[in-house]
Amino acid sequence: MNRKPRLLIVEDEISILHGLTDLFVYHGFEVATEQDGNSGLEQALTGGFDCIILDVMLPGLDGFSICNAIRKASREQPVVMLTAKSSEEDIINGLTLGADDYIAKPFSVQELVLRIKTILRRSGWHEESDTLELGENIIIDVCNLSGTVYGKQQVFTRREVDILSLLYRRKRPVPRSELLTAVWGYSKSAEPDTRTVDIHIAKLRKKIELNAKQPKILVTFRGEGYKLML
Protein backbone atom coordinates (compact mmCIF):
# COMPACT_ATOMS: atom_id res chain seq x y z
CA MET A 1 0.00 0.00 0.00
CA ASN A 2 1.37 3.43 -0.94
CA ARG A 3 2.04 6.07 1.67
CA LYS A 4 -0.63 8.73 2.08
CA PRO A 5 0.44 12.39 1.96
CA ARG A 6 0.71 13.76 5.51
CA LEU A 7 -1.06 17.05 6.19
CA LEU A 8 -0.97 19.27 9.29
CA ILE A 9 -3.88 21.68 9.76
CA VAL A 10 -3.55 24.45 12.37
CA GLU A 11 -6.99 26.05 12.78
CA ASP A 12 -8.78 27.26 15.91
CA GLU A 13 -12.35 27.25 14.56
CA ILE A 14 -13.62 23.76 15.43
CA SER A 15 -16.24 23.56 12.68
CA ILE A 16 -13.70 24.49 9.99
CA LEU A 17 -11.07 22.18 11.48
CA HIS A 18 -13.42 19.20 11.51
CA GLY A 19 -14.66 20.01 8.02
CA LEU A 20 -11.14 20.23 6.60
CA THR A 21 -10.09 17.06 8.38
CA ASP A 22 -13.00 15.09 6.94
CA LEU A 23 -12.38 16.62 3.50
CA PHE A 24 -8.74 15.66 3.27
CA VAL A 25 -9.17 12.24 4.87
CA TYR A 26 -11.80 11.57 2.20
CA HIS A 27 -9.30 12.59 -0.47
CA GLY A 28 -6.69 10.16 0.80
CA PHE A 29 -4.61 12.30 3.18
CA GLU A 30 -3.31 11.43 6.63
CA VAL A 31 -4.28 14.44 8.75
CA ALA A 32 -2.90 15.82 12.02
CA THR A 33 -4.48 18.88 13.66
CA GLU A 34 -3.71 21.60 16.20
CA GLN A 35 -5.92 24.44 17.50
CA ASP A 36 -3.41 26.99 18.79
CA GLY A 37 -0.27 28.59 17.46
CA ASN A 38 2.22 27.28 20.02
CA SER A 39 1.16 23.66 19.64
CA GLY A 40 0.94 24.15 15.88
CA LEU A 41 4.52 25.35 15.68
CA GLU A 42 5.81 22.51 17.87
CA GLN A 43 4.01 19.98 15.69
CA ALA A 44 5.16 21.63 12.45
CA LEU A 45 8.82 21.57 13.48
CA THR A 46 8.79 17.85 14.18
CA GLY A 47 8.92 17.39 10.42
CA GLY A 48 7.39 14.61 8.39
CA PHE A 49 4.51 16.63 6.90
CA ASP A 50 4.10 16.87 3.16
CA CYS A 51 2.11 20.10 3.56
CA ILE A 52 1.03 22.42 6.38
CA ILE A 53 -2.14 24.54 6.35
CA LEU A 54 -1.98 27.52 8.72
CA ASP A 55 -4.80 29.79 9.77
CA VAL A 56 -3.46 33.31 10.30
CA MET A 57 -5.55 34.28 13.33
CA LEU A 58 -4.68 31.79 16.07
CA PRO A 59 -4.46 31.89 19.87
CA GLY A 60 -0.84 32.15 20.94
CA LEU A 61 1.40 32.52 17.91
CA ASP A 62 -0.26 33.72 14.72
CA GLY A 63 0.12 31.95 11.40
CA PHE A 64 2.66 34.47 10.10
CA SER A 65 4.97 33.78 13.06
CA ILE A 66 4.62 30.02 12.58
CA CYS A 67 5.35 30.31 8.86
CA ASN A 68 8.44 32.39 9.59
CA ALA A 69 9.73 29.81 12.10
CA ILE A 70 9.06 26.96 9.68
CA ARG A 71 11.01 28.72 6.94
CA LYS A 72 13.99 29.18 9.25
CA ALA A 73 13.98 25.43 9.87
CA SER A 74 13.23 24.29 6.32
CA ARG A 75 13.27 26.02 2.97
CA GLU A 76 11.32 23.22 1.30
CA GLN A 77 8.38 22.55 3.64
CA PRO A 78 5.16 23.36 1.70
CA VAL A 79 3.04 25.87 3.65
CA VAL A 80 -0.40 27.25 2.82
CA MET A 81 -1.91 30.22 4.67
CA LEU A 82 -5.66 30.04 5.28
CA THR A 83 -7.41 33.15 6.55
CA ALA A 84 -10.40 35.45 6.44
CA LYS A 85 -8.04 38.32 5.71
CA SER A 86 -7.76 38.84 1.98
CA SER A 87 -6.21 42.30 1.73
CA GLU A 88 -3.25 42.75 -0.56
CA GLU A 89 -1.05 43.64 2.43
CA ASP A 90 -1.84 40.35 4.22
CA ILE A 91 -1.27 38.31 1.08
CA ILE A 92 2.07 40.00 0.43
CA ASN A 93 3.06 39.47 4.08
CA GLY A 94 2.27 35.77 3.95
CA LEU A 95 4.04 35.19 0.66
CA THR A 96 7.04 37.26 1.73
CA LEU A 97 7.47 34.99 4.75
CA GLY A 98 7.68 32.04 2.39
CA ALA A 99 4.15 30.64 2.16
CA ASP A 100 3.56 28.64 -1.01
CA ASP A 101 -0.04 29.81 -1.34
CA TYR A 102 -2.57 32.08 0.37
CA ILE A 103 -6.24 31.07 0.42
CA ALA A 104 -8.95 33.39 1.71
CA LYS A 105 -12.15 32.30 3.48
CA PRO A 106 -14.73 31.47 2.32
CA PHE A 107 -13.21 29.09 -0.18
CA SER A 108 -14.26 26.30 -2.52
CA VAL A 109 -13.33 22.96 -0.95
CA GLN A 110 -12.70 21.49 -4.40
CA GLU A 111 -10.36 24.35 -5.24
CA LEU A 112 -8.55 23.98 -1.90
CA VAL A 113 -7.88 20.27 -2.47
CA LEU A 114 -6.68 20.91 -6.01
CA ARG A 115 -4.34 23.68 -4.87
CA ILE A 116 -2.87 21.51 -2.11
CA LYS A 117 -2.30 18.66 -4.57
CA THR A 118 -0.68 21.08 -7.03
CA ILE A 119 1.69 22.31 -4.31
CA LEU A 120 2.59 18.73 -3.41
CA ARG A 121 3.42 17.91 -7.03
CA ARG A 122 5.45 21.09 -7.38
CA SER A 123 7.42 20.25 -4.22
CA GLY A 124 8.33 16.87 -5.66
CA TRP A 125 6.04 14.71 -3.51
CA HIS A 126 5.19 11.32 -4.90
CA GLU A 127 3.51 8.27 -3.48
CA GLU A 128 6.10 6.06 -1.91
CA SER A 129 5.82 2.35 -2.52
CA ASP A 130 6.73 -0.29 0.02
CA THR A 131 10.05 -0.76 -1.78
CA LEU A 132 13.02 1.58 -1.71
CA GLU A 133 15.39 0.95 -4.61
CA LEU A 134 18.84 2.48 -4.30
CA GLY A 135 20.16 1.56 -7.72
CA GLU A 136 20.11 -1.97 -9.09
CA ASN A 137 21.86 -3.66 -6.19
CA ILE A 138 19.99 -2.38 -3.14
CA ILE A 139 16.29 -3.09 -2.65
CA ILE A 140 14.71 -2.44 0.75
CA ASP A 141 11.26 -3.43 2.00
CA VAL A 142 10.38 -0.34 4.07
CA CYS A 143 7.57 -2.12 5.92
CA ASN A 144 9.44 -5.27 6.93
CA LEU A 145 12.75 -3.41 7.44
CA SER A 146 14.71 -5.90 5.40
CA GLY A 147 16.25 -5.99 1.99
CA THR A 148 18.74 -7.33 -0.48
CA VAL A 149 22.12 -5.60 -0.71
CA TYR A 150 24.40 -6.86 -3.48
CA GLY A 151 22.62 -10.21 -3.37
CA LYS A 152 22.80 -10.63 0.41
CA GLN A 153 19.95 -10.31 2.90
CA GLN A 154 20.19 -7.35 5.24
CA VAL A 155 18.09 -6.15 8.19
CA PHE A 156 17.51 -2.44 8.91
CA THR A 157 16.08 -0.45 11.80
CA ARG A 158 13.08 1.84 11.33
CA ARG A 159 15.27 4.90 11.82
CA GLU A 160 17.76 3.70 9.22
CA VAL A 161 14.98 3.26 6.68
CA ASP A 162 13.56 6.69 7.55
CA ILE A 163 17.00 8.26 6.98
CA LEU A 164 17.38 6.57 3.60
CA SER A 165 13.83 7.50 2.57
CA LEU A 166 14.38 11.16 3.44
CA LEU A 167 17.70 11.33 1.58
CA TYR A 168 16.09 9.59 -1.39
CA ARG A 169 13.33 12.23 -1.54
CA ARG A 170 15.58 15.25 -1.04
CA LYS A 171 17.98 14.60 -3.95
CA ARG A 172 20.49 17.00 -2.34
CA PRO A 173 22.86 17.10 0.62
CA VAL A 174 20.82 17.07 3.83
CA PRO A 175 22.42 18.64 6.94
CA ARG A 176 22.44 16.88 10.31
CA SER A 177 20.03 19.45 11.76
CA GLU A 178 17.41 18.64 9.13
CA LEU A 179 17.77 14.91 9.70
CA LEU A 180 17.36 15.42 13.45
CA THR A 181 14.19 17.43 12.85
CA ALA A 182 12.60 15.20 10.22
CA VAL A 183 13.66 11.75 11.43
CA TRP A 184 14.17 12.14 15.19
CA GLY A 185 11.49 14.81 15.73
CA TYR A 186 13.74 17.36 17.46
CA SER A 187 12.85 21.03 17.22
CA LYS A 188 15.55 23.27 15.78
CA SER A 189 16.05 24.96 19.14
CA ALA A 190 16.67 21.66 20.99
CA GLU A 191 20.34 21.50 19.90
CA PRO A 192 20.73 17.72 20.39
CA ASP A 193 24.06 15.92 19.98
CA THR A 194 24.64 15.61 16.22
CA ARG A 195 26.86 12.56 16.79
CA THR A 196 23.58 10.63 16.90
CA VAL A 197 23.27 11.19 13.14
CA ASP A 198 26.91 10.31 12.49
CA ILE A 199 26.56 7.02 14.37
CA HIS A 200 23.48 6.02 12.33
CA ILE A 201 25.16 7.01 9.07
CA ALA A 202 28.20 4.91 9.96
CA LYS A 203 25.98 1.88 10.66
CA LEU A 204 24.09 2.40 7.40
CA ARG A 205 27.32 2.54 5.42
CA LYS A 206 28.37 -0.82 6.85
CA LYS A 207 25.09 -2.23 5.55
CA ILE A 208 24.84 -0.70 2.07
CA GLU A 209 28.40 0.14 0.99
CA LEU A 210 30.90 -2.29 -0.52
CA ASN A 211 33.55 -0.38 1.41
CA ALA A 212 32.16 1.62 4.35
CA LYS A 213 35.43 3.55 4.71
CA GLN A 214 35.20 4.76 1.12
CA PRO A 215 31.45 5.30 0.60
CA LYS A 216 30.16 5.66 -2.94
CA ILE A 217 26.40 5.64 -2.21
CA LEU A 218 25.88 7.50 1.08
CA VAL A 219 28.33 10.35 0.68
CA THR A 220 29.30 13.23 2.97
CA PHE A 221 29.44 16.72 1.49
CA ARG A 222 31.62 18.71 3.87
CA GLY A 223 29.70 21.62 5.37
CA GLU A 224 26.45 20.60 3.60
CA GLY A 225 25.37 17.20 4.84
CA TYR A 226 24.68 13.70 3.50
CA LYS A 227 23.44 12.71 0.06
CA LEU A 228 22.53 9.50 -1.72
CA MET A 229 24.47 9.23 -4.98
CA LEU A 230 22.00 7.44 -7.24
Side-chain angles (χ1 to χ4, degrees):
M1 185 173 68
N2 290 334
R3 182 179 71 87
K4 297 180 180 180
R6 297 192 68 226
L7 181 67
L8 171 64
I9 304 174
V10 187
E11 166 65 63
D12 64 324
E13 294 187 43
I14 294 297
S15 60
I16 295 178
L17 184 62
H18 287 172
L20 290 176
T21 300
D22 291 343
L23 172 70
F24 282 101
V25 168
Y26 174 79
H27 283 278
F29 287 73
E30 179 182 330
V31 180
T33 63
E34 294 292 346
Q35 293 178 242
D36 69 86
N38 294 315
S39 298
L41 176 59
E42 182 178 357
Q43 180 86 293
L45 292 181
T46 63
F49 292 103
D50 298 298
C51 189
I52 297 172
I53 297 179
L54 298 174
D55 186 27
V56 169
M57 303 301 292
L58 292 165
L61 291 174
D62 61 40
F64 293 136
S65 298
I66 298 173
C67 182
N68 188 41
I70 291 171
R71 275 294 163 261
K72 289 180 179 179
S74 171
R75 295 168 295 174
E76 299 175 335
Q77 172 67 65
V79 177
V80 174
M81 308 295 290
L82 183 65
T83 180
K85 292 186 175 182
S86 58
S87 71
E88 182 178 0
E89 180 180 354
D90 291 316
I91 294 174
I92 292 174
N93 190 21
L95 296 179
T96 299
L97 289 172
D100 295 273
D101 205 347
Y102 197 105
I103 301 173
K105 304 173 186 176
F107 50 82
S108 160
V109 292
Q110 291 87 352
E111 179 185 357
L112 177 60
V113 172
L114 285 175
R115 287 168 78 167
I116 296 296
K117 288 183 175 180
T118 297
I119 289 170
L120 289 178
R121 287 194 298 270
R122 193 165 64 225
S123 68
W125 184 89
H126 62 282
E127 288 187 334
E128 295 178 353
S129 68
D130 291 339
T131 301
L132 186 64
E133 298 184 16
L134 309 182
E136 298 180 356
N137 298 307
I138 303 174
I139 301 175
I140 301 171
D141 185 326
V142 300
C143 295
N144 293 322
L145 305 180
S146 62
T148 303
V149 180
Y150 294 99
K152 297 181 179 180
Q153 292 297 311
Q154 185 61 264
V155 176
F156 297 86
T157 67
R158 168 52 57 193
R159 193 143 280 164
E160 289 171 345
V161 169
D162 288 345
I163 290 170
L164 290 174
S165 297
L166 179 68
L167 295 178
Y168 182 85
R169 294 197 304 270
R170 288 295 187 259
K171 313 291 186 185
R172 59 162 174 79
V174 177
R176 293 178 180 86
S177 59
E178 187 173 337
L179 283 165
L180 286 166
T181 298
V183 177
W184 275 264
Y186 289 112
S187 66
K188 191 175 182 181
S189 61
E191 298 183 358
D193 188 349
T194 56
R195 288 178 298 180
T196 299
V197 177
D198 298 338
I199 291 169
H200 279 77
I201 293 295
K203 290 180 178 179
L204 267 174
R205 283 174 172 158
K206 290 180 179 179
K207 293 182 178 183
I208 68 173
E209 298 280 359
L210 290 174
N211 184 349
K213 294 182 179 180
Q214 296 181 331
K216 303 294 184 182
I217 300 170
L218 181 46
V219 177
T220 301
F221 284 74
R222 189 173 299 276
E224 298 184 58
Y226 300 103
K227 183 178 186 295
L228 286 175
M229 306 299 290
L230 303 177

